[in-house]
Amino acid sequence: MKRKYFLAQHGLTLIELVIGITLILCLLSSTVNLFSGSLKVWTFGKQQSQLNQTARIAMDSIVKDIRYAQQITLKNTSSLVVTKVNGEIRTFQLGEGLHSKTLYVLIDKTKAIPPGGISSSPITENLVTDLQFVQRENSKAVLVTLEVTNTSTGERTLLWTACYPFNLQ
């Protein structure tokens, strides 16, 4: 008689259901933790990549203007004035006050051909923590140092290059 009872059973017991659900929840929670960790790593990598890209764009902009400058003047170690062949004057410097971490280029086209006004445009937004220009007395080369900081992680990236102007008088 007992043998017929086991053969006729068609469902799961409550204990089997609880054990199965517990195992599924353990697997799902480990999968969610793995996905969450991967998402954090991806987000950090994306932020770091954007920070490096912004720093390189800023550095390339500065270097391009130095290379084709007719005259270079250092106002101080963190401000550089570049006069282009057409008479346009560009000043690279950090902002002031709330914008002290923003790299600006001030463009003066009053002596340029065709003449224009003075404009200011940011190259980076609130990322640059240090900007330095150095030019040795005996050399025409300009050493540019640019440091950017990730605001969310505090990680710093330092870029530097030496640039030699082609048209310097």
Side-chain angles (χ1 to χ4, degrees):
M1 182 84 115
K2 285 187 177 184
R3 190 173 175 133
K4 284 184 181 180
Y5 174 75
F6 286 116
L7 293 175
Q9 185 180 10
H10 293 290
L12 298 173
T13 65
L14 183 60
I15 293 174
E16 291 171 335
L17 282 174
V18 169
I19 290 172
I21 290 173
T22 304
L23 288 174
I24 289 173
L25 286 176
C26 289
L27 288 173
L28 284 177
S29 69
S30 64
T31 304
V32 167
N33 286 339
L34 181 66
F35 179 72
S36 174
S38 298
L39 186 62
K40 286 179 185 177
V41 169
W42 178 77
T43 303
F44 175 76
K46 184 178 176 185
Q47 288 175 347
Q48 201 61 27
S49 175
Q50 287 175 342
L51 183 73
N52 288 339
Q53 183 179 7
T54 302
R56 288 174 197 263
I57 289 171
M59 183 66 83
D60 287 345
S61 175
I62 294 170
V63 166
K64 183 183 83 173
D65 280 347
I66 290 173
R67 276 203 184 121
Y68 298 108
Q70 186 174 12
Q71 182 179 359
I72 295 174
T73 308
L74 288 172
K75 282 186 174 179
N76 52 39
T77 58
S78 62
S79 182
L80 178 76
V81 179
V82 174
T83 305
K84 296 174 87 176
V85 176
N86 66 354
E88 183 178 296
I89 299 171
R90 292 182 174 223
T91 304
F92 293 96
Q93 66 185 26
L94 292 178
E96 297 176 355
L98 294 174
H99 304 286
S100 64
K101 293 183 179 180
T102 301
L103 176 62
Y104 285 95
V105 57
L106 307 171
I107 303 169
D108 182 358
K109 291 186 178 182
T110 54
K111 297 178 183 175
I113 300 173
I118 298 175
S119 66
S120 170
S121 61
I123 297 176
T124 65
E125 289 291 333
N126 217 14
L127 297 171
V128 179
T129 50
D130 191 24
L131 175 67
Q132 291 184 358
F133 300 102
V134 177
Q135 185 176 21
R136 306 274 185 218
E137 291 179 20
N138 299 338
S139 175
K140 293 180 180 180
V142 177
L143 176 67
V144 182
T145 305
L146 179 72
E147 181 183 63
V148 292
T149 303
N150 189 337
T151 54
S152 60
T153 63
E155 179 136 0
R156 295 179 176 200
T157 302
L158 183 67
L159 296 175
W160 66 89
T161 187
C163 183
Y164 187 84
F166 296 137
N167 301 323
L168 199 63
Q169 294 179 344

